[in-house]
Amino acid sequence: MMTVYGLTEEHNMIADTVRSFVENEIFPHEELVERTGEVPAEIAHDIKQKTLDLGFYACNFPESVGCAGLNHVEFALVERELGRGSMALNHFFGRPQNILMACEGDQKERYLMPAVRGERMDALAMTEPGAGSDVRGMKCAAVRDGGDWVVNGTKHFISGADHADFFIVFVATGEDDTPRGPKKRITTFLVDRDTPGFAVRDGYKSVSHRGYKNMILDFDDCRLPDAQVLGQVDGGFEVMNTWLYATRITVATMCVGRARRVFDYALSYAAEREQFGQPIGKFQGISFQLADMITEIDAADLLTLAAADRLDKNLSSNREIASAKLYASEMLSRVTDAAIQIHGGMGLMDDYPLERFWRDARVERIWDGTSEIQRHIISRDLLRALGA
């Protein structure tokens, strides 16, 4: 079990194993991916196969489906170490969406089991051009036609869609009148890549996480039978809340891992770079920045692991997860900015990867719930306890 003061030997072994993997199998290819914006197929296959050999593929899934069955704290440690490396490359380390545990009947053999065995890759599709934080504002909709659903609309910012064999798609399937106005009903569908009426096309060119592409999904009278519904019709929010609850912990803990890598660069540079006859780390203007950086990193690490530990104990965790995502993502921006300041002009040159980390850090405050959404969750939780 995690304690307030640290991690067990087993926890540290998990972290050390993944860190070594990232340093040996991910780091060597980062420059290529950054330069080309692509992950060569042979490199992707090699990373996936080595992850399978290591026994860590789909380690976020339970032993009942043949996986490692890591708990939330253990999986957070895996994601923390993966956060040190390129997202485009560590995507092939393979962590399918836990939501696939909601598969029933033959869905298990068509989607769940191939996903955890590394035979098929999934992608989650929720965001739309007009519906980001406001999930109920989605316009991608399905209507009944005989025994099928006919889907029309568009999803965008869909990560991993370029490599996905199937998609977990949230679609509006009706609307209820409420005292606060119309409220969309949402259903989750499993959509194969080659489904007629469904197309995947290139998305936007992002300055963050090059090679980790976002794609656009188009539905044009795409016909789906009931067998493609994941969970219950109109039960999309239930599926979402049950299985996607901890994705923000993933963002938070990956931010911690990336921040530790950035800090290592800054610390080494401060110890080696000399000005006025001494290492710049001896000047308070630098040393105090280092002190602030490591304090914030450690605080984010503990905050994130504490939130994961609450999930493992089946305790209410919504506010704690939001706090972890908020603090860790904003911490990463501060740490990367400080690291560049310590390096001076060289920090912005591509001789160092700092300018890449700086660009990559910016998106962490946006995806999986913006900082503003996290603050809303936190404040709402605090005020509700007082009846406000």
Side-chain angles (χ1 to χ4, degrees), residues 5-288:
Y5 301 104
L7 301 169
T8 66
E9 184 176 343
E10 183 178 355
H11 285 138
N12 290 325
M13 183 176 66
I14 290 171
D16 290 346
T17 300
V18 180
R19 185 183 308 128
S20 177
F21 184 96
V22 170
E23 291 174 353
N24 292 310
E25 308 298 339
I26 302 295
F27 284 7
H29 305 300
E30 288 183 334
E31 186 178 344
L32 172 66
V33 173
E34 182 67 15
R35 186 175 70 252
T36 65
E38 301 287 343
V39 178
E42 62 273 16
I43 292 176
H45 179 270
D46 188 51
I47 292 171
K48 180 188 286 189
Q49 188 57 54
K50 288 178 177 176
T51 306
L52 286 162
D53 294 343
L54 194 65
F56 271 85
Y57 200 92
C59 61
N60 53 320
F61 278 72
E63 294 178 1
S64 62
V65 293
C67 300
L70 301 188
N71 62 28
H72 288 98
V73 168
E74 292 163 344
F75 186 56
L77 295 173
V78 170
E79 294 284 27
R80 186 184 73 187
E81 300 310 320
L82 288 174
R84 292 175 176 266
S86 160
M87 286 195 70
L89 290 161
N90 70 39
H91 175 68
F92 299 98
F93 193 89
R95 290 94 71 214
Q97 296 289 337
N98 274 15
I99 199 171
L100 290 173
M101 287 300 294
C103 285
E104 297 179 350
D106 69 349
Q107 290 178 346
K108 293 180 180 178
E109 288 305 318
R110 293 170 59 208
Y111 299 103
L112 171 61
M113 298 311 298
V116 301
R117 291 194 296 256
E119 297 164 2
R120 303 187 77 193
M121 296 194 78
D122 62 293
L124 190 73
M126 190 179 302
T127 305
E128 298 180 10
S133 298
D134 180 16
V135 177
R136 288 196 187 273
M138 66 174 58
K139 293 182 172 58
C140 186
V143 296
R144 274 290 190 188
D145 183 32
D148 296 337
W149 294 91
V150 178
V151 186
N152 284 283
T154 299
K155 299 288 183 181
H156 77 164
F157 292 156
I158 309 306
S159 302
D162 47 335
H163 300 287
D165 300 292
F166 68 93
F167 299 79
I168 303 159
V169 187
F170 291 82
V171 178
T173 46
E175 192 172 84
D176 294 322
D177 290 326
T178 73
R180 300 181 64 180
K183 185 177 181 181
K184 296 280 180 67
R185 298 196 300 271
I186 307 297
T187 300
T188 312
F189 290 90
L190 295 164
V191 183
D192 291 305
R193 192 181 192 94
D194 60 358
T195 302
F198 173 63
V200 181
R201 57 187 171 95
D202 290 342
Y204 316 98
K205 188 173 181 180
S206 175
V207 301
S208 297
H209 299 297
R210 287 178 181 164
Y212 187 66
K213 299 180 181 180
N214 68 85
M215 309 294 282
I216 297 172
L217 312 184
D218 291 320
F219 295 85
D220 183 10
D221 287 337
C222 177
R223 187 172 289 271
L224 301 172
D226 275 335
Q228 299 308 115
V229 173
L230 183 63
Q232 301 297 315
V233 173
D234 297 335
F237 271 96
E238 181 180 350
V239 172
M240 189 189 310
N241 291 332
T242 300
W243 297 108
L244 298 181
Y245 199 54
T247 56
R248 289 167 180 170
I249 289 182
T250 292
V251 175
T253 197
M254 292 187 83
C255 285
V256 172
R258 181 61 59 92
R260 290 203 183 279
R261 184 177 177 187
V262 170
F263 177 78
D264 288 344
Y265 279 103
L267 182 63
S268 295
Y269 191 82
E272 296 168 3
R273 169 71 167 165
E274 290 194 0
Q275 290 284 275
F276 305 103
Q278 64 179 0
I280 62 172
K282 288 191 174 182
F283 295 102
Q284 286 187 352
I286 302 297
S287 64
F288 282 14

